[in-house]
Amino acid sequence: MINNKKLSLEPYKGTRDFYPEDQFVQNYIFSVWRKVAESFGYLEYGASILEETDLYRAKTGEEIVNEQTYSFTDRGGRDVTIRPEMTPTIARMVAQKRKELVFPLRWYSIPNLFRYERPQRGRLREHWQLNVDLFGADSAEADAEIINVAHSIMKAFGASGESFEIRVNNRRLTDHLLKEHLKLDKDEAHKASKLIDRMHKMKDTEFTAAMTSLIAGKTKMLMDILYVKSLDELGKKIPDSQGAKELDELMLKLEALGIKNTVYDPALMRGFDYYTGNVFEIYDTSPANNRALFGGGRYDDLVGIFGVEKVPGVGFGMGDVTMRDFLETHGLLPTPQPTVEAFVGHLEGYIGEASKLAAELRGQGVNTAVDFTDRKVSAQVKAADKQNIPFVVVVGEEEIKSGQFKVKDLKNSKEQTVSRAGITNFIKKLK
Ligand code: HAM
């Protein structure tokens, strides 16, 4: 009891407990992420959850730093933030060792991140995020590879091409559109881009009204662009945009890789200030979960903020919460399987022998738990069954004398008597 208040049984707001079935799913998601990232030649890295707050002030964007970070002053007077994202950290790490590292550099990580957000479907205060980033290459091939990794992950989870789409846009193109085409000043352009970022979450009338109060008479011209359906159509309205060329090239490369579920979305902004070129976001197409799953883009100036020469970067962040929702929506979640393979029970007076047998089985590579209660054998078997443990062996006088053991296969309700040395083989064969 603290201050006479009953202690809560709930985890801290916006965070999750991972009971074994949840941890199983989480591990499954991580294992697919790792496997695909490593298959493309990416190496895993890690870092502390704490960073100096200045790191995020530099580029992450005002909304995240002012409203969404967990920040505090440590006992030494330093401003510290629990990481809300991984990109500034990897940029810092690359900047620090840029002279020794070999480029193009391919790295991935699965950090837990903290953002003080209003918890809702797909948004929590703590999530895990696969980060896949490539440094030292600024070609369309590099952008296409990053999207290819993302696409391959979706495929590895069993997603069909129709279940998700890849929306793409380009920061240089948006910049050109707002500053050259609409002739907005820097401040207006920044505010307009933040508003466009929220466009899909607002009613049309609400969006138009907010935009009109910002850029008045130029709203119609902007809406004209925001509703184009393809890059070709856009090219007729805004020729000579370097960003549009980059996007065009990216689309061609993706098509050559067999990735066809891409869509040009002029309203796609991506919240962070550091993106400089192509940006993308993967959307679930199911009406039951029609939302952004994850995203990323090119950021060529981030390493340079550390006062060193620029190193171009491109990458994405894929969250475990949205991934799990996607898998659930499309019936792709795996069924939790226990990692325990065998359970050794015992008759009265045979706990020691049961432990000995369990140790032998473990030595032969079978994950084995042993019962050391003095409940009846039937209750021991029931407990094993409740935990979905597939095999049970009971040790008693008869077994020790004869060297023959009854192995119960609980999944198939079968039982077989095998020699002590044959138990492992029997289990492995039926598994
Ligand atoms: P982001 O769009 O902020 O990008 O996050 C990427 C993904 O992480 C989101 O699409 C979502 O799946 C997940 N995510 C973000 N915030 C939350 C939250 N509060 N709760 C649950 N899931 C969340 C970035 O963080 C960039 N740093 C990604 C990147 C890496 N860009 C280049 N390299």
Side-chain angles (χ1 to χ4, degrees), residues 47-51 56 81-86 111-114:
S48 167
I49 57 165
L50 299 180
E51 288 278 7
Y56 306 107
T81 289
I82 306 179
R83 61 187 176 198
E85 58 153 341
M86 200 61 174
N112 56 338
L113 308 176
F114 295 80

Side-chain angles (χ1 to χ4, degrees), residues 16 64 68 84-88 90 113-115 117 120 122-133 270-272 274-275 281 292-299 314-323:
R16 290 158 293 168
I64 287 224
Q68 295 186 351
E85 58 153 341
M86 200 61 174
T87 314
I90 192 177
L113 308 176
F114 295 80
R115 295 184 192 178
E117 296 200 60
Q120 54 193 293
R123 293 268 140 193
L124 294 176
R125 290 188 173 173
E126 181 190 27
H127 75 283
W128 274 257
Q129 191 190 84
L130 168 69
N131 277 250
V132 176
D133 291 273
R270 303 271 311 131
F272 299 106
Y274 50 67
Y275 292 116
E281 205 138 71
L293 296 173
F294 61 94
R298 171 160 289 285
Y299 51 96
V314 59
F316 68 82
M318 180 185 269
D320 66 323
V321 183
T322 42
M323 196 68 240

Side-chain angles (χ1 to χ4, degrees), residues 197-234:
D197 194 26
R198 300 210 308 274
M199 176 175 156
H200 292 314
K201 292 181 191 139
M202 298 167 84
K203 286 195 193 113
D204 285 358
T205 46
E206 206 187 333
F207 175 77
T208 314
M211 193 52 92
T212 306
S213 76
L214 193 66
I215 61 170
K218 293 174 181 167
T219 306
K220 159 102 188 40
M221 216 168 145
L222 175 66
M223 298 306 265
D224 231 29
I225 302 285
L226 291 180
Y227 283 102
V228 301
K229 293 269 176 292
S230 68
L231 266 178
D232 279 352
E233 194 186 333
L234 179 88

